[in-house]
Amino acid sequence: MARLILFNKPYGVLSQFTPEGRWQGLRDHLSVPGVYAAGRLDADSEGLLILTDDGPLQSRIADPRHKLPKTYWAQVEGVPNEADLEPLRRGVDLGDFVTRPAALRLIDAPAGLWPRTPPIRFRASIPTAWIELTINEGKNRQVRRMTAKIGFPTLRLIRAAVGEWTLGALQPGEWMEQHV
Protein backbone atom coordinates (compact mmCIF):
# COMPACT_ATOMS: atom_id res chain seq x y z
CA MET A 1 0.00 0.00 0.00
CA ALA A 2 1.45 3.35 -1.06
CA ARG A 3 1.76 6.32 1.25
CA LEU A 4 0.43 9.62 0.02
CA ILE A 5 1.05 12.88 1.87
CA LEU A 6 -1.05 15.98 1.19
CA PHE A 7 0.96 18.99 2.36
CA ASN A 8 0.01 22.67 2.41
CA LYS A 9 3.35 24.12 1.34
CA PRO A 10 3.87 27.56 2.86
CA TYR A 11 5.39 30.50 1.02
CA GLY A 12 9.19 30.38 1.12
CA VAL A 13 9.51 26.58 1.16
CA LEU A 14 11.12 24.63 -1.69
CA SER A 15 9.58 21.43 -3.09
CA GLN A 16 12.66 19.51 -1.94
CA PHE A 17 13.84 18.38 1.46
CA THR A 18 17.10 20.33 1.43
CA PRO A 19 16.96 24.09 2.10
CA GLU A 20 18.85 26.44 -0.23
CA GLY A 21 19.88 30.01 0.51
CA ARG A 22 17.00 31.95 2.04
CA TRP A 23 14.43 29.22 1.27
CA GLN A 24 13.43 26.46 3.69
CA GLY A 25 13.22 22.82 2.62
CA LEU A 26 10.46 20.29 3.21
CA ARG A 27 12.42 18.77 6.09
CA ASP A 28 11.71 21.95 8.05
CA HIS A 29 8.01 20.96 8.01
CA LEU A 30 7.79 17.20 7.38
CA SER A 31 9.46 14.36 9.21
CA VAL A 32 8.18 11.55 6.99
CA PRO A 33 11.01 9.37 5.69
CA GLY A 34 10.96 7.73 2.27
CA VAL A 35 8.53 10.06 0.47
CA TYR A 36 9.26 12.29 -2.49
CA ALA A 37 7.42 15.22 -4.07
CA ALA A 38 5.15 14.35 -6.99
CA GLY A 39 5.60 17.57 -8.91
CA ARG A 40 6.74 20.89 -7.57
CA LEU A 41 5.66 24.35 -6.54
CA ASP A 42 7.98 27.34 -6.67
CA ALA A 43 9.18 28.70 -3.34
CA ASP A 44 7.00 31.79 -3.80
CA SER A 45 3.87 29.70 -4.45
CA GLU A 46 1.73 28.09 -1.76
CA GLY A 47 -0.69 25.24 -1.41
CA LEU A 48 -1.10 21.58 -2.22
CA LEU A 49 2.06 19.55 -2.68
CA ILE A 50 1.69 15.79 -2.90
CA LEU A 51 4.41 13.44 -1.71
CA THR A 52 4.51 9.66 -2.02
CA ASP A 53 6.74 6.64 -1.53
CA ASP A 54 5.39 4.99 -4.71
CA GLY A 55 7.48 5.74 -7.83
CA PRO A 56 4.83 4.88 -10.45
CA LEU A 57 2.22 6.92 -8.55
CA GLN A 58 4.68 9.82 -8.27
CA SER A 59 5.20 9.69 -12.05
CA ARG A 60 1.46 9.50 -12.75
CA ILE A 61 0.79 12.57 -10.60
CA ALA A 62 3.70 14.66 -11.87
CA ASP A 63 3.94 13.71 -15.55
CA PRO A 64 2.00 16.06 -17.87
CA ARG A 65 1.24 13.13 -20.20
CA HIS A 66 -1.30 11.94 -17.62
CA LYS A 67 -3.04 15.33 -17.78
CA LEU A 68 -4.11 15.49 -14.15
CA PRO A 69 -5.88 18.82 -13.76
CA LYS A 70 -4.22 21.27 -11.40
CA THR A 71 -6.39 24.01 -9.91
CA TYR A 72 -4.87 27.27 -8.69
CA TRP A 73 -6.14 30.38 -6.97
CA ALA A 74 -4.29 33.41 -8.31
CA GLN A 75 -4.55 36.86 -6.80
CA VAL A 76 -3.80 39.21 -9.65
CA GLU A 77 -2.99 42.88 -9.90
CA GLY A 78 -5.95 44.66 -11.46
CA VAL A 79 -9.47 43.41 -12.08
CA PRO A 80 -9.85 41.47 -15.33
CA ASN A 81 -13.18 41.12 -17.09
CA GLU A 82 -14.37 38.10 -19.06
CA ALA A 83 -12.89 39.44 -22.31
CA ASP A 84 -9.49 39.83 -20.60
CA LEU A 85 -9.61 36.17 -19.53
CA GLU A 86 -10.66 34.77 -22.91
CA PRO A 87 -7.09 34.31 -24.27
CA LEU A 88 -6.34 31.97 -21.34
CA ARG A 89 -9.40 29.88 -22.26
CA ARG A 90 -8.02 29.48 -25.79
CA GLY A 91 -4.34 29.06 -24.89
CA VAL A 92 -1.64 31.72 -25.01
CA ASP A 93 1.78 31.82 -26.65
CA LEU A 94 4.40 32.28 -23.95
CA GLY A 95 7.29 32.30 -26.40
CA ASP A 96 8.76 28.91 -25.60
CA PHE A 97 5.39 27.11 -25.81
CA VAL A 98 1.68 27.67 -26.32
CA THR A 99 -0.43 26.75 -23.31
CA ARG A 100 -3.33 24.37 -23.54
CA PRO A 101 -6.72 25.99 -22.97
CA ALA A 102 -7.40 26.68 -19.29
CA ALA A 103 -10.68 26.57 -17.41
CA LEU A 104 -11.02 29.69 -15.31
CA ARG A 105 -13.37 32.02 -13.54
CA LEU A 106 -13.25 35.08 -11.35
CA ILE A 107 -13.84 34.19 -7.70
CA ASP A 108 -14.08 35.93 -4.35
CA ALA A 109 -11.07 35.51 -2.07
CA PRO A 110 -11.08 31.80 -1.13
CA ALA A 111 -12.94 30.97 2.09
CA GLY A 112 -10.64 30.28 5.03
CA LEU A 113 -7.65 31.86 3.28
CA TRP A 114 -4.73 32.29 5.64
CA PRO A 115 -2.56 35.42 5.72
CA ARG A 116 0.67 35.12 3.78
CA THR A 117 3.96 35.76 5.54
CA PRO A 118 5.31 38.07 4.29
CA PRO A 119 2.15 39.70 2.97
CA ILE A 120 1.85 40.62 -0.71
CA ARG A 121 2.58 44.23 -1.56
CA PHE A 122 -0.46 46.43 -1.08
CA ARG A 123 -1.06 49.48 -3.26
CA ALA A 124 -4.25 51.40 -2.48
CA SER A 125 -4.47 52.77 -6.02
CA ILE A 126 -4.38 49.33 -7.69
CA PRO A 127 -7.18 46.85 -6.90
CA THR A 128 -6.68 43.10 -7.00
CA ALA A 129 -8.89 40.17 -7.98
CA TRP A 130 -8.87 36.39 -7.55
CA ILE A 131 -9.00 33.91 -10.41
CA GLU A 132 -9.54 30.15 -10.13
CA LEU A 133 -7.58 28.56 -12.96
CA THR A 134 -7.36 24.88 -13.92
CA ILE A 135 -4.66 23.64 -16.28
CA ASN A 136 -3.64 20.18 -17.48
CA GLU A 137 0.05 20.91 -17.70
CA GLY A 138 2.49 22.55 -15.36
CA LYS A 139 5.53 24.11 -16.92
CA ASN A 140 7.90 26.34 -14.96
CA ARG A 141 6.03 29.38 -13.57
CA GLN A 142 3.26 28.76 -16.07
CA VAL A 143 0.31 30.33 -14.24
CA ARG A 144 2.33 33.43 -13.37
CA ARG A 145 3.46 33.76 -16.99
CA MET A 146 -0.10 33.27 -18.27
CA THR A 147 -1.64 36.01 -16.11
CA ALA A 148 1.24 38.39 -16.87
CA LYS A 149 0.77 37.76 -20.60
CA ILE A 150 -2.79 39.11 -20.44
CA GLY A 151 -1.70 42.12 -18.35
CA PHE A 152 -2.67 40.97 -14.85
CA PRO A 153 0.47 39.89 -12.96
CA THR A 154 0.04 37.26 -10.24
CA LEU A 155 0.70 38.59 -6.75
CA ARG A 156 -0.13 35.40 -4.85
CA LEU A 157 -0.51 31.85 -6.15
CA ILE A 158 -2.04 28.92 -4.26
CA ARG A 159 -2.51 25.41 -5.66
CA ALA A 160 -5.88 24.18 -4.42
CA ALA A 161 -6.11 20.76 -6.10
CA VAL A 162 -4.26 18.14 -8.14
CA GLY A 163 -6.58 15.62 -9.77
CA GLU A 164 -8.88 14.26 -7.09
CA TRP A 165 -6.77 15.56 -4.18
CA THR A 166 -7.58 18.92 -2.62
CA LEU A 167 -6.07 21.24 -0.08
CA GLY A 168 -9.19 20.98 2.06
CA ALA A 169 -8.81 22.65 5.46
CA LEU A 170 -5.03 22.14 5.73
CA GLN A 171 -3.30 25.24 7.00
CA PRO A 172 0.23 26.22 5.88
CA GLY A 173 2.75 23.66 7.11
CA GLU A 174 0.05 21.08 7.92
CA TRP A 175 -0.11 17.69 6.26
CA MET A 176 -2.20 14.58 6.29
CA GLU A 177 -1.45 11.04 5.18
CA GLN A 178 -3.58 8.77 3.04
CA HIS A 179 -2.98 5.20 1.99
CA VAL A 180 -3.73 4.41 -1.63
Side-chain angles (χ1 to χ4, degrees), residues 11-12 20-24:
Y11 176 89
E20 282 183 18
R22 66 184 179 121
W23 304 118
Q24 293 181 329

Side-chain angles (χ1 to χ4, degrees), residues 156-169:
R156 185 174 183 190
L157 186 61
I158 301 166
R159 184 160 57 199
V162 175
E164 67 190 75
W165 300 287
T166 66
L167 196 52

Side-chain angles (χ1 to χ4, degrees), residues 9-132:
K9 188 189 85 58
Y11 176 89
V13 177
L14 297 169
S15 296
Q16 63 189 37
F17 281 90
T18 307
E20 282 183 18
R22 66 184 179 121
W23 304 118
Q24 293 181 329
L26 294 174
R27 75 173 178 212
D28 296 311
H29 298 272
L30 289 167
S31 58
V32 182
V35 296
Y36 302 92
R40 57 184 299 273
L41 276 175
D42 294 323
D44 56 354
S45 297
E46 307 164 70
L48 183 62
L49 184 66
I50 299 175
L51 300 99
T52 183
D53 62 355
D54 182 299
L57 177 60
Q58 178 187 26
S59 177
R60 195 171 80 240
I61 293 168
D63 194 320
R65 289 177 295 191
H66 298 290
K67 298 184 175 128
L68 277 181
K70 296 169 185 72
T71 300
Y72 296 87
W73 299 324
Q75 184 179 18
V76 297
E77 188 174 271
V79 181
N81 60 38
E82 289 300 318
D84 295 324
L85 299 176
E86 193 55 35
L88 301 181
R89 292 185 177 107
R90 291 190 311 265
V92 291
D93 187 344
L94 296 179
D96 52 340
F97 73 100
V98 176
T99 67
R100 293 181 183 141
L104 67 143
R105 63 189 178 108
L106 288 167
I107 61 171
D108 292 329
L113 185 64
W114 55 89
R116 194 187 86 173
T117 304
I120 64 160
R121 70 179 182 269
F122 174 75
R123 298 193 304 200
S125 62
I126 301 177
T128 66
W130 284 90
I131 299 170
E132 181 179 80

